[in-house]
Structure formats: C-alpha cells, structure tokens
Amino acid sequence: MKKLNELRFAVLGRIVYTDHFVKELSRKGFPKPVVIVSPDSEYRRDRRIFSNHGLFGDLENLENEGLCELHKYPTVNCKEVRDLLLRKRCNIAISINCRNIVKSPLIEFFDGNIFNVHDSYLPNERGGALVTWRILNNITTAGNTIHYLEEGVDTGPIVLRRKFNISKENPMPIDFLKAEYGNCKELLSEFTDLVLEDDIPSFPQDNDKSLYFPRLFTEVNGAIDWDWHVVHIERFIRAFGSPYPGAFSYFREKRVHILASSIDNLYDTGFHPFANGKIVTLLDDGRVRVVAGCKTMIIDKISVDGLEVEPADFFELRFSMYTPIDQLNDAKLHVPTTVEMNENES
C-alpha cells in the first residue's frame, strides 16, 4: 500500500467537476495534482455556454492558489505529456471531460491505474451529448459513473455509480447539467476515500446492455423537422435548449433558433401535413401559434442572429417555417468534432 504522500494524481480534462476534485485532493491531504488540459481554443464554446451557469470552473485560479499544477497540450497522448508525468512522479490518473480518447501508451504508463468520470449510469448511455439524448428519449432517471479507463469508449470495469432523478416537468439540458454536478461531487468524494483506503473494487460492464449515443452540435444536429409528431418536436426543442443555442429552422430564408415552446391543446382536430410549419396565429402576448406534426404548438421564445426577439414581432401570418431537406439529413448523419464546434467561436 502506498503512503498518501506517494500518490500523485494526474487529472486529464476540465469542467467544474475537475475543480471540485482538485479541491477534494487538497482537503484530504493528497500531493498537488498535475492537471493536463487542451489549449484554450478547445474550450471556447464550453466557456461561453457554461460560465454563466457556474459549470465551467476556473483551474487557472486554483493553480494561482497553489492547489494544482496546470499544463496545456494539444493531446494527452503525446510523449511530452508522459515525460512530464514521469518527472512529476504521477502514478494514478483520472479523466474528467478529457478532450482526447486516451490511448494505450498513457494507459500503460499508469499500469492501468487510470480512471474516467462518465456522465451516465454505465453501461447505459455511452458516448456524448447525453443530456440532449435523454430529453429526446424522454429519460428522467440518469446517473454518473467512475470506471477504469480502457481504449474502448466508456467500456472499462465500473468502480462507482450513482443515480439521480429529475423531478421537474419538461426539463431542459441545464436541469440535468446542474443535477450531474451535485451527483459527481458526491461520487468523486467517495472515490478519493476508496483511494485512501487502497481498496478500489470494480465489476465488468455488460456490453450487451450498453447503448451508445454520439456527440451533437446544435448548429448542425438541431434541425427541426415539422413533420414529426408534435410531442417529438416539443421535446426536440427542449433537448437543444438552455444552455445550448436552441434547435433551429428557417423563416423566409432566415435561420431562427427556437428557445422555448409548448404544445397547444386548443385544437383537437388534426391538420393536413401540408400545413406543417405554417404560422397561423400571432398571439396578443407576443408568442405565435404554428402547425407542427399536424397539431399546433406555441413558440414562446426565439433568437435571430444571436439576439432574442419577440416571436410575434418577427413572424408573419401566411408564411411557413421550414428546414431544407439537406440540413435535415445532415442533422441525422453528422457527428461533430470538438475542433469543429470551437472553430467559429471568437
């Protein structure tokens, strides 16, 4: 069994959970961890979207306070990172929102003593964009997992899992993200206790029960098909809602992001599919009614060119919202990279 002062963590990646883990290591007397993150350009989008909700974190400030040693590399898989970790005598590692899939040389460097924090209750929901996928699939019970890291995507033996429930009706992604933060804090605290006790049990995942969902990019994958069932359209709009930019469609050649909507129960009769997308009412309170999935729904909030606009001031009767078929196809097929998601950020 190693003594506490002989256990030095390498922490790979950044999110607000990383900050909590660094503070937890300090509180429990571990040596100062070495934190490896990607260059700032890889986090432009995360910083913009999550900072206002307190979900991005501030590792630079923790380094200034002497709680960690921060290094930035394009990939954690390069020899320069392994040489650094060797010099710093890091002998245990954990990945928390690492931008790279960790390869075998780094796994072997830690002799398998490397772990990952995943934002689901594995083997359910391997992959990414899980808060969006949960809303799309109408899931309100979720969880987080710490598992041994392998080269496979979220496949390693499970060390700890912890569930949580979302009780809010019609939750947005931000509701899941905030719940995950609290859940991960508890999970990481429990994990450090296991490390201190030198007792880290695990059990294999049942691969045949696993589900994998890919990363999503709202600006491509968030294209609305007005021919879906109205329930699925409303759920789709919520799934790409706060803190994300909002699912999108077009009105008179202008891209419109729908930030909030609700199903309209005023009309029980179905409309012909030809009417889908048609703006049929400008409501006195500034919202609009649109035909969606042969029913009607209310558009509560929109943004155009990044600015929030009152729907009734923007939309006009007679005309329809639409999404070009090529963009609907791209939305289903496109799997984005983090480089793509950050390249248009300033």
Side-chain angles (χ1 to χ4, degrees):
M1 176 177 177
K2 289 183 179 294
K3 296 179 181 179
L4 178 60
N5 61 7
E6 296 175 340
L7 286 168
R8 191 170 195 191
F9 265 96
V11 184
L12 314 176
R14 71 182 307 163
I15 196 171
V16 70
Y17 319 153
T18 316
D19 292 39
H20 171 77
F21 187 68
V22 167
K23 293 174 184 176
E24 191 73 0
L25 292 177
S26 176
R27 188 177 72 82
K28 291 182 177 176
F30 283 86
K32 182 191 300 185
V34 176
V35 182
I36 309 294
V37 301
S38 297
D40 291 343
S41 59
E42 282 283 303
Y43 299 103
R44 287 173 182 162
R45 180 178 173 83
D46 282 6
R47 188 183 295 275
R48 175 176 61 84
I49 289 175
F50 298 131
S51 290
N52 289 341
H53 300 279
L55 296 175
F56 183 71
D58 190 356
L59 287 170
E60 287 79 6
N61 187 54
L62 293 183
E63 182 181 43
N64 290 337
E65 293 177 5
L67 298 186
C68 68
E69 186 176 319
L70 183 62
H71 298 269
K72 299 178 181 181
Y73 286 89
T75 174
V76 299
N77 294 304
C78 62
K79 184 176 183 298
E80 289 80 4
V81 166
R82 297 195 297 277
D83 290 343
L84 170 69
L85 298 177
L86 182 63
R87 293 196 305 272
K88 300 297 180 179
R89 299 184 179 181
C90 293
N91 49 21
I92 185 171
I94 188 166
S95 168
I96 308 177
N97 197 38
C98 182
R99 281 290 191 250
N100 315 121
I101 295 176
V102 179
K103 302 297 185 181
S104 58
L106 189 56
I107 297 171
E108 292 166 3
F109 175 90
F110 288 103
D111 194 25
N113 204 26
I114 180 170
F115 305 87
N116 180 57
V117 179
H118 184 66
D119 291 336
S120 84
Y121 197 81
L122 290 173
N124 294 333
E125 300 177 311
R126 292 175 178 172
L130 298 179
V131 295
T132 294
W133 285 110
R134 282 175 198 146
I135 295 172
L136 289 175
N137 296 323
N138 202 30
I139 294 169
T140 56
T141 298
N144 301 95
T145 302
I146 295 178
H147 63 96
Y148 278 94
L149 195 151
E150 300 177 341
E151 273 204 277
V153 180
D154 308 320
T155 57
I158 292 168
V159 174
L160 291 169
R161 294 185 297 182
R162 197 170 192 272
K163 287 185 177 181
F164 64 87
N165 294 302
I166 297 292
S167 57
K168 180 179 178 180
E169 186 177 0
N170 298 326
M172 302 282 276
I174 190 62
D175 300 308
F176 280 96
L177 291 168
K178 288 182 176 179
E180 281 185 358
Y181 177 31
N183 202 49
C184 279
K185 286 169 68 175
E186 296 292 333
L187 204 62
L188 287 164
S189 297
E190 189 176 348
F191 173 69
T192 55
D193 289 339
L194 292 179
V195 174
L196 286 172
E197 294 166 5
D198 196 26
D199 180 17
I200 306 179
S202 66
F203 59 93
Q205 296 188 42
D206 187 342
N207 183 69
D208 288 350
K209 293 182 178 179
S210 68
L211 299 170
Y212 176 87
F213 293 99
R215 178 186 289 120
L216 297 170
F217 182 29
T218 302
E219 286 83 340
V220 176
N221 302 111
I224 299 169
D225 186 338
W226 295 101
D227 290 332
W228 290 331
H229 192 288
V230 67
V231 169
H232 296 154
I233 295 172
E234 186 278 332
R235 199 183 295 164
F236 189 83
I237 289 169
R238 274 194 293 115
F240 289 93
S242 177
Y244 305 116
F248 67 88
S249 189
Y250 289 81
F251 186 79
R252 306 195 72 179
E253 301 185 359
K254 193 74 172 178
R255 180 181 281 214
V256 181
H257 288 267
I258 301 180
L259 308 180
S261 67
S262 54
I263 295 174
D264 184 25
N265 295 315
L266 184 61
Y267 297 99
D268 293 330
T269 58
F271 295 90
H272 191 281
F274 184 68
N276 287 340
K278 188 73 68 180
I279 304 298
V280 291
T281 314
L282 305 181
L283 299 175
D284 291 339
D285 61 7
R287 300 178 299 159
V288 303
R289 179 178 287 116
V290 60
V291 179
C294 301
K295 298 289 185 177
T296 57
M297 69 184 305
I298 303 299
I299 297 177
D300 299 293
K301 293 182 181 180
I302 64 170
S303 70
V304 181
D305 296 330
L307 299 175
E308 191 167 327
V309 179
E310 191 162 89
D313 289 340
F314 177 80
F315 292 111
E316 301 174 58
L317 296 174
R318 301 178 294 142
F319 299 104
S320 298
M321 297 199 74
Y322 66 95
T323 308
I325 189 66
D326 60 328
Q327 294 193 31
L328 291 174
N329 289 335
D330 285 346
K332 293 214 38 140
L333 299 175
H334 186 71
V335 178
T337 66
T338 57
V339 172
E340 174 192 357
M341 295 169 72
N342 284 283
E343 64 184 1
N344 293 323
E345 298 285 327
S346 56

